[in-house]
Amino acid sequence: MTAHYPFALPPLPYARDALEPHLDARTVSIHHDRHFAAYIDRLNRLLAPYEAYHSWPLPKLLLCREELPDAIRLGVCRNAGGVYNHDLYFATLTPASSPGPAPVLEEALIRDFGSMEDFRAALHAAALDVFGSGYAWLCVDGRGRLSVVKTANQDTPLPLYPLLCSDLWEHAYYLRYQYRKGEYFDNWYALVNWQAVVERLARGLGQTDVAPGP
Ligand code: MN
């Protein structure tokens, strides 16, 4: 992801049909090339006249929203969130056959959720509990504690550092799964790029803008 304005659409790290049969090529194409691209375009258009914010990275646009001019605050929050969330969503998927979590992540998940199955169940329950559009997340706090959280619309879990997100907007699954959100979740979960999640965990533990745990 480009660090700051002008933001550019990151290319998909796999072919548009590479996630079949779990996620169909048409859904992936529309999701990435239309929805994700639209958040990038709108964010750039909003920021274009405001040079003072051209050097701000995405997390700063989201965390320091009170410093933004009233005229663009809401639009920047919505669209910077859309960019941040979709960047993470596509970067943490991989064609099925990804090995499971590396020991360092598996141990942390078992420590904080009880077992891998309990973690999966917690994320699944959060995903099904998202009312309307939003996301279910796995996050790490400044003390290395993992948690599952939900957000609405294009809100992010920042300053908790997100490791993984399930996009529960209907555009993420409706063409193939319609009302079968649980089936979409199971198929999405089969595509999780655990190597990318482990790399994010290492980065998250080194972040200074991560919220301290309780
Ligand atoms: Mn989406």
Side-chain angles (χ1 to χ4, degrees):
M1 187 75 228
T2 32
H4 54 72
Y5 175 93
F7 295 96
L9 181 66
L12 268 183
Y14 33 77
R16 281 159 181 70
D17 62 358
L19 304 180
E20 297 264 11
H22 306 282
L23 288 180
D24 58 288
R26 188 154 177 258
T27 295
V28 172
S29 299
I30 294 171
H31 199 177
H32 178 272
D33 303 348
R34 302 297 175 190
H35 292 280
F36 188 5
Y39 286 110
I40 299 248
D41 290 344
R42 285 192 297 257
L43 180 60
N44 284 335
R45 276 206 305 274
L46 282 163
L47 291 173
Y50 296 90
E51 280 185 34
Y53 310 104
H54 286 187
S55 63
W56 284 27
L58 272 179
K60 185 169 181 185
L61 289 167
L62 292 159
L63 288 166
C64 304
R65 62 184 67 189
E66 296 311 318
E67 296 176 39
L68 296 169
D70 291 344
I72 60 168
R73 183 179 301 118
L74 182 59
V76 166
C77 286
R78 285 176 175 168
N79 291 288
V83 173
Y84 187 90
N85 298 345
H86 283 99
D87 185 40
L88 178 60
Y89 177 77
F90 288 111
T92 48
L93 294 179
T94 189
S97 76
S98 166
V104 61
L105 177 59
E106 189 170 12
E107 285 163 18
L109 288 166
I110 291 170
R111 180 196 66 208
D112 293 337
F113 294 96
S115 70
M116 284 301 295
E117 199 42 52
D118 287 334
F119 157 66
R120 190 187 189 286
L123 191 60
H124 182 264
L128 292 193
D129 200 42
V130 169
F131 186 73
S133 298
Y135 293 81
W137 305 81
L138 172 66
C139 297
V140 64
D141 70 19
R143 294 180 182 172
R145 189 65 54 179
L146 301 176
S147 60
V148 163
V149 299
K150 294 173 289 183
T151 57
N153 303 312
Q154 292 297 359
D155 291 349
T156 74
L158 292 170
L160 284 175
Y161 189 76
L163 307 178
L164 177 66
C165 67
S166 186
D167 187 336
L168 282 318
W169 285 58
E170 286 185 347
H171 66 228
Y173 62 88
Y174 208 81
L175 288 177
R176 170 156 297 180
Y177 297 104
Q178 294 90 46
Y179 58 89
R180 303 187 307 277
K181 204 153 100 171
E183 197 180 323
Y184 158 67
F185 176 90
D186 293 339
N187 279 274
W188 164 83
Y189 193 83
L191 297 170
V192 170
N193 183 342
W194 292 108
Q195 183 55 39
V197 176
V198 168
E199 286 165 15
R200 289 190 62 84
L201 176 62
R203 234 175 302 155
L205 294 174
Q207 290 264 322
T208 52
D209 59 347
V210 174

